[in-house]
Amino acid sequence: MGNNDLSVVLRDARFLLLQIRRSVSSGGHIEAVAEFDALVGVAVDEATRKLSALDNEKPKRGDLPD
């Protein structure tokens, strides 16, 4: 899988995970599923971290090719 494909998958996954957290929170079940919310939060953080790493790998304007 190329970096662009991975970026799309991670962005989609992060969006869906955030939607899940909002749904749980707005449903008033946040206390009942605190562990679940924590795991989803970790997944969101990991997706964000990987996206940042991928963005830093992209050549910047003015960079010379290897």
Side-chain angles (χ1 to χ4, degrees):
M1 179 181 294
N3 281 354
N4 287 338
D5 294 337
L6 181 56
S7 233
V8 170
V9 169
L10 286 170
R11 287 180 203 286
D12 289 346
R14 184 176 62 177
F15 174 79
L16 292 171
L17 289 164
L18 289 170
Q19 291 296 103
I20 290 167
R21 289 188 86 194
R22 284 186 195 112
S23 294
V24 168
S25 177
S26 67
H29 302 291
I30 208 75
E31 295 83 19
V33 289
E35 275 186 54
F36 172 77
D37 182 61
L39 290 172
V40 171
V42 169
V44 169
D45 291 345
E46 285 299 308
T48 302
R49 184 190 60 75
K50 182 60 179 174
L51 283 167
S52 292
L54 288 174
D55 287 343
N56 289 333
E57 287 178 9
K58 292 180 182 173
K60 307 285 188 268
R61 188 175 196 181
D63 283 353
L64 298 175
D66 292 337

